[in-house]
Amino acid sequence: MSGSTEHRLPSTESSKEARARHGYSPAVQTCARELGVDLAQVVGTGEGGRVTKKDPAVEAFASTRSQPNASPAPVKPVSAATDEELIPLTPMRRSIAGHMVQSRRDAPQVTSVAEADFTNIARFREAKKDAFRQCAGVALTFLPFIVKATAHVLPEFPILNARWSDDGIRVWKANHLGIAVALPEGLAVPVLRSPGTLSIAGIARRIATMVRRAQEGRLLPKEVMGSTFTVKNFGADGILIGAPILNPPEVGILGVGSIGKRAVVLSDPNGDSIGIRVRGYLCLSYDHRAIDGAVAGAFLKRLDSTLESFQSGQDLWADPDL
């Protein structure tokens, strides 16, 4: 049996009839003759299955005909014993996986990013961090300032403190921020309730307690339930920018990138100059069903201006412990 007969596909119509039915162009027919291809046996990859002159299916079919007895290259088996290791799924990992799949499946998510100026906060923190650790017993990081500013700005954008439902967008009246805590085996999100009523020092202490309890596996169910918006500080791991996934049923999550000194262009009435500022990226992921890009942009701009306006002991930032 010849090679051309061996690889011929069954057909109920002649090649001439197939060409007429598919309307092959003269260029395609010429190419097929040169390659020795029967177009009736080619399934085109063009629109509606149409065969075109550049269709790779033509040359691919010609190649299979030219080597009718060629065997496929052997596939080297992968030995699970030597080339891979199976890591059993813990209950926490299964829960996180299910939660994240649900989040991506249920909500169309978009991430907007803004660069914020932390210079004033950085200078204050550098001057106070040693004394604060001695007094409070915990570190004074950037996170309490970000949480305080977020809790202050969020009521101005209630649509971000909400959840989607088939009946409409349900806006929470209270603000309870989930604080994402990285653990060796996964992630926990304990809830900081009513952070707007707390001082910077109070937020720092509460977060430190939450992190410690999470790391020790002592969080109670009620401590990880009821968040209305989440803050994730992936900058602590040196990550510059990220696109955090929503914590359902919330419609917004704020990711904070690495904060550090950067050279930036400074403008004043005398012209432009290069200066050193402490800056970091604010990454807001949101449910696009409920929130438009303009709202996300306005929220980030307002959050940036709040952080940049930091003045020790004044207004929002008044704190008897600092």
Side-chain angles (χ1 to χ4, degrees):
M1 184 178 291
S2 66
S4 60
T5 303
E6 183 178 343
H7 287 269
R8 186 178 299 278
L9 299 176
S11 175
T12 58
E13 60 184 353
S14 67
S15 299
K16 183 176 181 180
E17 291 170 339
R19 286 194 292 272
R21 181 171 60 83
H22 288 282
Y24 301 124
S25 69
V28 169
Q29 295 180 48
T30 299
C31 179
R33 282 196 300 271
E34 293 175 351
L35 292 171
V37 174
D38 184 356
L39 289 172
Q41 299 182 48
V42 176
V43 178
T45 58
E47 183 178 356
R50 186 168 179 266
V51 179
T52 66
K53 182 179 179 181
K54 296 182 179 181
D55 200 321
V58 175
E59 294 190 8
F61 183 74
S63 176
T64 62
R65 288 190 43 154
S66 65
Q67 303 177 35
N69 298 316
S71 300
V75 178
K76 182 180 179 182
V78 177
S79 172
T82 59
D83 292 339
E84 68 179 31
E85 175 189 358
L86 178 64
I87 300 176
L89 297 177
T90 64
M92 174 177 281
R93 179 50 57 189
R94 286 186 184 277
S95 176
I96 292 172
H99 209 52
M100 294 298 95
V101 169
Q102 176 195 349
S103 177
R104 295 301 297 231
R105 182 186 63 235
D106 293 349
Q109 302 184 29
V110 182
T111 301
S112 296
V113 181
E115 190 175 22
D117 195 309
F118 290 87
T119 304
N120 294 340
I121 293 174
R123 290 170 179 166
F124 175 80
R125 175 177 169 271
E126 186 63 28
K128 295 286 186 176
K129 64 180 183 180
D130 291 339
F132 184 78
R133 180 180 288 276
Q134 292 179 0
C135 177
V138 299
L140 182 62
T141 68
F142 286 104
L143 185 56
F145 297 90
I146 296 167
V147 168
K148 180 68 173 179
T150 300
H152 176 71
V153 173
L154 207 53
E156 300 176 26
F157 300 87
I159 197 69
L160 277 165
N161 193 65
R163 67 181 179 92
W164 176 270
S165 75
D166 292 337
D167 298 326
I169 303 169
R170 299 182 179 275
V171 178
W172 302 110
K173 294 182 179 180
N175 301 328
H176 304 307
L177 299 191
I179 308 297
V181 178
L183 303 174
E185 66 276 20
L187 185 75
V189 188
V191 181
L192 183 60
R193 303 190 184 280
S194 303
T197 63
L198 302 175
S199 64
I200 296 295
I203 292 173
R205 293 190 185 97
R206 292 277 292 276
I207 290 178
T209 299
M210 290 161 51
V211 170
R212 184 175 65 254
R213 288 178 60 80
Q215 292 172 339
E216 296 172 352
R218 296 193 298 114
L219 287 174
L220 300 175
K222 65 179 182 180
E223 294 178 286
V224 294
M225 297 175 61
S227 62
T228 62
F229 187 90
T230 293
V231 176
K232 180 175 178 59
N233 181 27
F234 46 71
D237 299 319
I239 305 300
L240 194 63
I241 297 176
I245 297 177
L246 291 175
N247 181 22
E250 298 166 17
V251 297
I253 178 172
L254 179 70
V256 184
S258 178
I259 299 170
K261 293 181 180 179
R262 292 166 198 168
V264 298
V265 176
L266 304 176
S267 299
D268 59 37
N270 297 321
D272 296 335
S273 61
I274 301 296
I276 303 299
R277 304 290 291 180
V278 179
R279 299 176 72 85
Y281 292 104
L282 304 174
C283 310
L284 177 69
S285 290
Y286 50 94
D287 186 337
H288 215 338
R289 296 174 299 177
I291 300 156
D292 296 324
V295 175
F299 171 81
L300 289 172
K301 184 176 181 180
R302 182 74 177 90
L303 185 59
D304 175 26
S305 65
T306 300
L307 291 166
E308 187 173 356
S309 68
F310 174 83
Q311 292 293 330
S312 176
Q314 295 186 16
D315 302 324
L316 169 68
W317 307 108
D319 190 334
D321 296 327
L322 287 176

